[in-house]
Amino acid sequence: MSTVLVTRPIDEANPTAEKLEAMGHTVIIAPMIQIDPVSFEIPSEDRSLIVTSKNGARLGLANIGNKGRPIFAVGEQTAEEARALGFTNVTVGPGTARQMVPILLECGVSEKRKYTHLGGTNISYNIADVLRGEGIDAEYTVTYQARPMRSFSAGVQEAMEEGEIDMALFYSPRTATIFEEAAAEYGRSDWLNKMDAACLSTRVAENLIGPWRSVRYAIIPTEKALFSLLG
């Protein structure tokens, strides 16, 4: 089995580590982003809610009382987070924010829906802008701050130095970029050529420009497909 580096925020990294360890892998956690909730005004009842990450669902939906509000989740894992909070009217998208747009446009036009996208301070694809460009009433509301953590613990540094890590997992373009920036700040981009990178999607993979031993990406943007790259 492999030694796997998980770069997700700690609240997401721990469940991922448990799954990987159950598969027989050794896991090292090195969060590249810290998630901090921020206060925000709850969207009016006439707006359907879009969530494109587990953090967006967990922190954006937690204080919303009407559990029957329409929720559009980017994929199954995000939808599960919404359901865990008690929401019953959850539409599951195909896995990426970009792929959600046709579904949102169809509902926006045929059902005259208004949308609020709940997410962090940094997003790689602004759904609200795209929908507004098509004449749909859409807005973006920040529900959490994602702060970069451009440092590695001594243990992670040692594991990379010794070539003990077989593969690093990346779930978002921003995390991938921050990881490479952190390695560069240490003056140790050579750590990258000692391990493989596995990415949740082609969009994530495109953000890796360092000298990795190899860069792979999941055929479909699901954790199961990502794990299949471990062999």
Side-chain angles (χ1 to χ4, degrees):
M1 291 296 176
S2 304
T3 296
V4 182
L5 185 70
V6 176
T7 60
R8 309 186 80 181
I10 193 66
D11 287 344
E12 297 177 6
N14 286 328
T16 295
E18 290 176 4
K19 295 174 188 176
L20 290 167
E21 287 167 350
M23 295 167 63
H25 299 291
T26 300
V27 179
I28 299 173
I29 295 176
M32 290 289 98
I33 290 175
Q34 179 172 316
I35 302 299
D36 297 317
V38 301
S39 60
F40 65 96
E41 184 176 346
I42 294 176
S44 60
E45 285 284 338
D46 63 338
R47 307 189 76 86
S48 298
L49 305 176
I50 303 168
V51 284
T52 52
S53 70
K54 292 179 70 174
N55 287 315
R58 180 170 59 88
L59 299 174
L61 302 177
N63 294 319
I64 292 176
N66 179 6
K67 304 304 181 183
R69 288 187 71 161
I71 308 295
F72 289 81
V74 67
E76 185 55 43
Q77 286 198 342
T78 303
E80 287 176 5
E81 196 75 27
R83 295 188 197 107
L85 290 169
F87 290 89
T88 57
N89 185 6
V90 181
T91 299
V92 184
T96 70
R98 191 182 300 271
Q99 290 171 330
M100 287 185 77
V101 170
I103 299 170
L104 297 169
L105 282 175
E106 181 179 353
C107 294
V109 172
S110 64
E111 301 172 20
K112 295 183 171 58
R113 287 185 185 269
K114 302 176 182 179
Y115 294 108
T116 297
H117 182 188
L118 305 173
T121 48
N122 299 90
I123 51 174
S124 58
Y125 185 76
N126 195 320
I127 289 178
D129 277 353
V130 175
L131 294 176
R132 283 196 298 270
E134 297 293 333
I136 304 295
D137 185 337
E139 63 184 17
Y140 186 72
T141 296
V142 173
T143 63
Y144 66 90
Q145 180 182 19
R147 295 193 293 109
M149 299 176 66
R150 293 185 180 87
S151 63
F152 302 114
S153 68
V156 171
Q157 292 181 57
E158 182 179 355
M160 291 193 289
E161 178 66 30
E162 298 299 322
E164 296 174 358
I165 298 169
D166 297 299
M167 185 170 287
L169 301 186
F170 296 102
Y171 285 71
S172 72
R174 189 164 181 241
T175 298
T177 298
I178 292 170
F179 188 92
E180 289 194 339
E181 289 175 348
E185 288 178 12
Y186 279 90
R188 297 305 308 272
S189 292
D190 61 298
W191 282 336
L192 309 184
N193 60 35
K194 299 178 181 180
M195 55 185 159
D196 302 312
C199 304
L200 187 66
S201 67
T202 55
R203 186 174 178 81
V204 178
E206 288 167 357
N207 279 262
L208 291 176
I209 60 175
W212 296 87
R213 188 165 62 193
S214 74
V215 176
R216 310 173 196 175
Y217 57 86
I219 296 175
I220 55 174
T222 66
E223 191 168 66
K224 183 178 180 180
L226 180 63
F227 286 177
S228 71
L229 299 176
L230 294 169

